[in-house]
Amino acid sequence: MPSDLTGAQIYNPKTGEFSVKKGPIFTNLLLADEINRAPAKVQAALLEVMAERQVTIADESFKLDQPFLVMATQNPVEQEGTYQLPEAQLDRFMLKTVLDYNTLEEELEVVKRVAISGFEQVEQVADIADIADIRQQFEKIHVDDAVQNYMLKIIFATRYPQDYGLDSIKHYIEFGASPRASIDLYKASCAKALIRGNDFVTPLDIASVVTEVLQHRIVLSYQAQAENMSVKAIIKQILEAIQVP
C-alpha cells in the first residue's frame, strides 16, 4: 500500500485522536529496489515526493529533510509480476544508467570481495555538511549562453527532428523529451563539469551525460520498435546533426 511507504494517520482509542506515523520515505537516500515490482498505486506515491520534495498524509503536508535522493533499480529481463513505470514517473528520474555484464576482471574482483573475503564494512566518506558544500560549488558553475542554446537544441531535436535536418528519424519518435529533460541536462552537465574540476560547462560535459538524461524520456514509435531502432542510436544521430559551439 502507498501508506507503507509514505506513512499514515494512526487512531489512538485512548485519546480519541489521530497521530501521524511517518513512513520510510522520510530519509535522505531512498533506494527502491526493483521498483517495477511495486503496484501502480505504490509507484504513484513517489510522484509528489520526487517533484515537490514533500509528502501529504491525510490533509497535512510534510517537507522532507535535505538532501533527498531517490535511486531505483529494475530488472529488464524478467517481466512476470512487474508493472510498467508510467512516463510521468520516469520523467522524474534525472538519469538512467543501463548496466551490462561485468568484464572478466570486474567479476573476478566481485568474487574475491564477496565469496572469498566477504562483504567489507562500509565506511562513511561524507556527511550532510560536505554535500551542502558541494552544492554551493555546483551553483557557481558557469554555463555560457551558446552552451545553453546547444543543450536546448538537443532537447528540441527530439521533439521536432525535421527542424534540425533529421527527417530520417522523425517517424521513430512518438514523444520527445520534456522540459524536465532540459532542466536535468543542465544540472547533469554542471555536475559533470564540477567532477572534472572545472567551473564552467563544455560541450564535452553535455555529450558525456546526454544519453543517461534522455534515454528514458524519448518514447519510440511502433515503427522504431519494429525496426529495432534504439534510443541511443537516435541520440547519437541528434548529436551528430547539432552544431557544437
Side-chain angles (χ1 to χ4, degrees):
M1 295 294 291
S3 58
D4 295 332
L5 182 63
T6 60
Q9 282 191 328
I10 306 298
Y11 178 71
N12 188 333
K14 292 183 179 180
T15 62
E17 297 178 346
F18 286 92
S19 61
V20 173
K21 177 68 174 178
K22 294 182 178 179
I25 205 169
F26 288 88
T27 183
N28 295 116
L29 173 60
L30 178 66
L31 175 59
D33 191 25
E34 296 204 29
I35 190 174
N36 54 332
R37 292 197 177 279
K41 287 185 178 180
V42 177
Q43 293 181 18
L46 290 172
L47 293 178
E48 179 188 17
V49 68
M50 293 180 69
E52 308 297 335
R53 298 297 191 268
Q54 70 175 26
V55 177
T56 300
I57 301 175
D59 58 351
E60 190 173 359
S61 296
F62 300 88
K63 290 290 184 181
L64 295 175
D65 293 335
Q66 295 298 319
F68 176 75
L69 174 69
V70 177
M71 295 182 65
T73 68
Q74 63 177 0
N75 188 338
V77 177
E78 187 179 8
Q79 300 300 324
E80 185 176 352
T82 62
Y83 303 83
Q84 184 175 359
L85 271 67
E87 282 73 17
Q89 184 175 359
L90 286 172
D91 198 30
R92 282 165 168 77
F93 285 98
M94 182 179 190
L95 306 169
K96 176 184 177 181
T97 300
V98 179
L99 300 179
D100 204 345
Y101 284 117
N102 299 322
T103 64
L104 189 146
E105 292 76 14
E106 290 170 343
E107 193 130 343
L108 180 59
E109 184 64 25
V110 171
V111 171
K112 288 180 178 179
R113 291 190 181 188
V114 179
I116 299 175
S117 303
F119 287 103
E120 298 178 0
Q121 183 176 356
V122 178
E123 297 182 0
Q124 181 177 335
V125 296
D127 56 23
I128 293 178
D130 294 325
I131 296 174
D133 180 62
I134 294 172
R135 277 189 166 184
Q136 290 182 352
Q137 298 178 48
F138 168 84
E139 292 170 357
K140 296 177 182 178
I141 299 296
H142 174 71
V143 185
D144 188 80
D145 289 344
V147 176
Q148 292 183 39
N149 288 333
Y150 177 60
M151 290 184 193
L152 291 181
K153 286 179 180 179
I154 294 173
I155 301 298
F156 272 68
T158 70
R159 305 173 191 169
Y160 315 107
Q162 68 279 4
D163 294 346
Y164 297 88
L166 292 163
D167 296 83
S168 60
I169 66 171
K170 178 182 178 181
H171 53 286
Y172 291 139
I173 302 175
E174 188 72 22
F175 298 105
S178 69
R180 276 198 181 96
S182 301
I183 296 170
D184 286 345
L185 182 58
Y186 185 100
K187 290 181 177 179
S189 300
C190 289
K192 190 65 176 182
L194 182 62
I195 292 172
R196 292 181 188 272
N198 297 329
D199 60 358
F200 58 92
V201 173
T202 68
L204 180 61
D205 297 319
I206 299 171
S208 64
V209 299
V210 66
T211 299
E212 283 72 19
V213 171
L214 295 183
Q215 64 183 346
H216 58 298
R217 290 183 159 105
I218 298 175
V219 180
L220 298 180
S221 65
Y222 287 114
Q223 182 174 349
Q225 298 175 38
E227 297 181 16
N228 291 321
M229 172 62 70
S230 68
V231 174
K232 285 187 176 181
I234 290 175
I235 295 172
K236 181 180 179 182
Q237 291 189 44
I238 290 175
L239 290 178
E240 291 173 349
I242 305 298
Q243 184 176 359
V244 179

